Amino acid sequence: MNEQLLYEQWVKQSLYTEDLEAISTNVQEIQDSFHQQLQFGTGGLRGKLGPGTNRMNTHTIRLVAEGLARQIEQQGEVAKMRGVVIAYDTRHFSQDFGYETAGVLAAHGIQSYVFKESRPTPELSFAVRYLAAYAGVVITASHNPKQYNGFKVYGEDGAQLTPQFANDIVAHMQAVDSIFDIPNLSRSQLQSSDLCVEILEKLDDAYLQALSKIQLNKNGKKDMGIVYTPIHGAGLEPTIRGLQNFGFTNVHLLQQQAVQDGDFPTVIYPNPEEAEAFKLAMKLGKEVSAQLLLATDPDADRLGVAVLVDGAYKLLTGNQLGALLLDYILSAQPAEPNAAMIKTIVTSELGAAVAQKYGVATVNTLTGFKYIAEKIAEWELTKEHKFIFGYEESYGYLVSDVVRDKDAVQIALLTAEMAAYYAATGKTLVDVLTALYEEHGFYQEALISLTFEGMEGQQKITSIMEAFRKQPPKRFADIAVRKMEDYLTESINGLPQADVIKFILEDDSWICVRPSGTEPKCKFYIGVKTESLLESEQKIEQLKSALQQWA
């Protein structure tokens, strides 16, 4: 069925009448809204809010919930009784979508446990295992702009879905006869049903109790000034309570961004990777003389950090904070003989150098924290390694495996502890980072992220990847390519196939190209190492310029 016919079908159902009327003459918008069913990947759905098969709305939520429900039914009554934990962030319709999911599950006789209030994605991951549930769902689009929402599914181990589980859900979704006739219980019906239980305080307490065990040093400058912002998101309650539990006495909450609002009115993007998101935190920080700024994204799985240096705040990259945390953890306690840290193939090699210093193995995975979680689960069974830390360049970190996804709450607590420990010796995190560079080499990284919206955008990203494969460059910025690794056509270091290309250059610099798995973007990663910061920064700029012709 083509886009126009699908559009007319939705109009006849009297669905989203005003929104559909608003795009009635916009051929491009109708095409983007209806040209496909919103794709379910290994993590779930993510897309723009609005009417249409390629948008996030009540009916696409019911469809994916129906796919999950049918998969659970196939596992039998025990799986149905174990049920599904459901959490949601502060985005538009997140809570509504959470209860829509519970309503579809209940129509199949499946138990659900729904958070009364918005809570972080990592707390959902923790709750799945704590409640021994069969699966978990969190309604979030993470750090995407306000126009987006998403539906992420977690397995019984608290990690994002295995490919087989995801494929099962997709197959069941495809078997649904009509997206308009999916049975569900209304929210009022759920409230009188034993199949939907609301949860909150007990899970908050258990989660924070589990995170208390990551504390490495109870000393340090605990009166150090800290500003925390949840950027209008779900991280507020557990992060503030966690900092108090860790003994911090001078924490300032950024009140303008403590308001839970899906419009994210005080920022352009609710993304702690962006310097703009720290603008108000920096203002408050200077007013209260804070030495450390902490920011979590809307579902609190990513953490951004800024450090006061010579009267100004310096933002740390994900690569830098990861290396600092790893060094702090390994310097605080001796590692077990089989200890290993996990990073992705686009993450800085500085962490690997730090790990090597302490005799700790480094294991690389594809981009995406689900691959790090897979390794943790694998090692639980094989005992090949003892997990001590995992991170990726995109501001995601994990130290305690009671959570099986990146966790900004636990890392906010550990970062504050680390900063307080060094502050007691007169050092900032930037001082410690500089020392790491001087010891291991001046590693620097950069990311070029290009956005291509809609169906034409998908085609553009595909053409970029095809161009690299058909005519791979022999050199970048006069640096010869030593090796090209195509993860789609080769089995590299035992990793699964993926649409990723990595170029290793003669001087050990590297460039990696991949489509984003969660946004309409093509990403170009660059990594270099030289003998000085200036030289590394210059080389980064040269490689950036060399990549412009491919964009």
Side-chain angles (χ1 to χ4, degrees), residues 343-394:
K343 71 176 190 66
T344 72
I345 60 172
V346 298
T347 300
S348 172
E349 295 301 319
L350 176 58
V354 170
Q356 184 178 25
K357 171 188 174 181
Y358 291 97
V360 169
T362 294
V363 175
N364 286 292
T365 70
L366 293 175
T367 307
F369 227 88
K370 62 188 175 186
Y371 296 110
I372 294 176
E374 280 180 4
K375 279 295 176 187
I376 296 172
E378 177 188 317
W379 294 345
E380 275 189 329
L381 295 174
T382 66
K383 310 301 181 185
E384 178 183 358
H385 288 295
K386 170 67 175 177
F387 171 77
I388 56 166
F389 187 63
Y391 75 114
E392 55 186 4
E393 53 77 36
S394 56

Side-chain angles (χ1 to χ4, degrees), residues 48-261:
K48 287 184 176 179
L49 291 161
T53 56
N54 193 40
R55 294 287 186 262
M56 290 295 298
N57 52 64
T58 296
H59 288 81
T60 51
I61 287 289
R62 288 179 183 172
L63 178 61
V64 67
E66 177 73 9
L68 174 61
R70 293 186 185 189
Q71 198 279 343
I72 295 173
E73 275 186 324
Q74 285 190 336
Q75 312 311 310
E77 289 301 313
V78 172
K80 291 169 66 174
M81 290 170 57
R82 289 174 62 191
V84 179
V85 187
I86 301 172
Y88 48 86
D89 68 6
T90 60
R91 289 177 177 275
H92 294 305
F93 306 109
S94 282
Q95 187 183 71
D96 294 338
F97 290 166
Y99 281 97
E100 284 287 350
T101 301
V104 172
L105 294 172
H108 287 265
I110 298 169
Q111 182 73 52
S112 65
Y113 302 90
V114 184
F115 278 87
K116 289 181 186 178
E117 299 174 1
S118 64
R119 282 298 182 268
T121 290
E123 188 168 348
L124 177 279
S125 172
F126 171 82
V128 170
R129 298 169 74 205
Y130 182 79
L131 295 172
Y134 179 78
V137 168
V138 60
I139 308 298
T140 179
S142 190
H143 60 294
N144 279 46
K146 64 182 180 181
Q147 298 88 350
Y148 285 77
N149 213 327
F151 183 108
K152 292 178 70 174
V153 189
Y154 288 76
E156 62 185 347
D157 61 351
Q160 292 183 43
L161 292 187
T162 63
Q164 184 57 56
F165 197 154
N167 291 338
D168 289 346
I169 292 175
V170 171
H172 289 305
M173 290 170 64
Q174 292 171 343
V176 172
D177 291 329
S178 171
I179 197 173
F180 308 118
D181 298 324
I182 295 170
N184 72 299
L185 272 63
S186 68
R187 188 164 177 178
S188 60
Q189 290 173 318
L190 284 172
Q191 289 172 341
S192 59
S193 168
D194 293 336
L195 289 172
C196 182
V197 176
E198 291 186 330
I199 57 175
L200 189 65
E201 290 86 359
K202 183 180 179 182
L203 263 298
D204 283 349
D205 292 344
Y207 174 57
L208 288 170
Q209 177 61 33
L211 296 194
S212 69
K213 297 176 183 178
I214 69 174
Q215 195 165 17
L216 297 174
N217 193 323
K218 294 185 179 181
N219 300 315
K221 190 174 174 56
K222 292 300 178 74
D223 62 347
M224 176 185 67
I226 299 173
V227 167
Y228 167 63
T229 170
I231 315 184
H232 304 288
L236 174 59
E237 181 72 16
T239 306
I240 287 294
R241 283 186 58 189
L243 289 168
Q244 292 169 347
N245 292 348
F246 268 49
F248 289 97
T249 59
N250 192 13
V251 178
H252 302 267
L253 177 64
L254 182 56
Q255 294 293 340
Q256 298 103 307
Q257 294 180 347
V259 178
Q260 297 191 340
D261 187 338

Side-chain angles (χ1 to χ4, degrees), residues 36-51:
Q36 65 176 6
Q37 185 66 55
L38 194 61
Q39 297 295 298
F40 187 97
T42 53
L45 300 177
R46 189 178 297 187
K48 287 184 176 179
L49 291 161

Side-chain angles (χ1 to χ4, degrees), residues 210-211 214 387-388 398-405 407 410:
L211 296 194
I214 69 174
F387 171 77
I388 56 166
L398 187 68
V399 63
S400 172
D401 65 0
V402 297
V403 171
R404 294 299 171 90
D405 204 348
D407 186 348
Q410 62 174 261

Side-chain angles (χ1 to χ4, degrees), residues 498-548:
D499 192 8
V500 181
I501 301 171
K502 189 170 185 178
F503 299 95
I504 312 299
L505 309 188
E506 283 293 348
D507 65 350
D508 290 328
S509 300
W510 55 268
I511 290 170
C512 192
V513 189
R514 60 177 282 269
S516 170
T518 57
E519 300 171 275
K521 294 181 177 180
C522 190
K523 295 189 171 184
F524 302 80
Y525 303 81
I526 305 170
V528 305
K529 174 195 171 186
T530 72
E531 297 301 314
S532 73
L533 180 60
L534 178 60
E535 187 180 352
S536 289
E537 289 174 344
Q538 289 174 340
K539 186 166 288 188
I540 286 283
E541 291 305 315
Q542 291 169 357
L543 293 174
K544 276 185 179 181
S545 297
L547 281 168
Q548 287 181 352

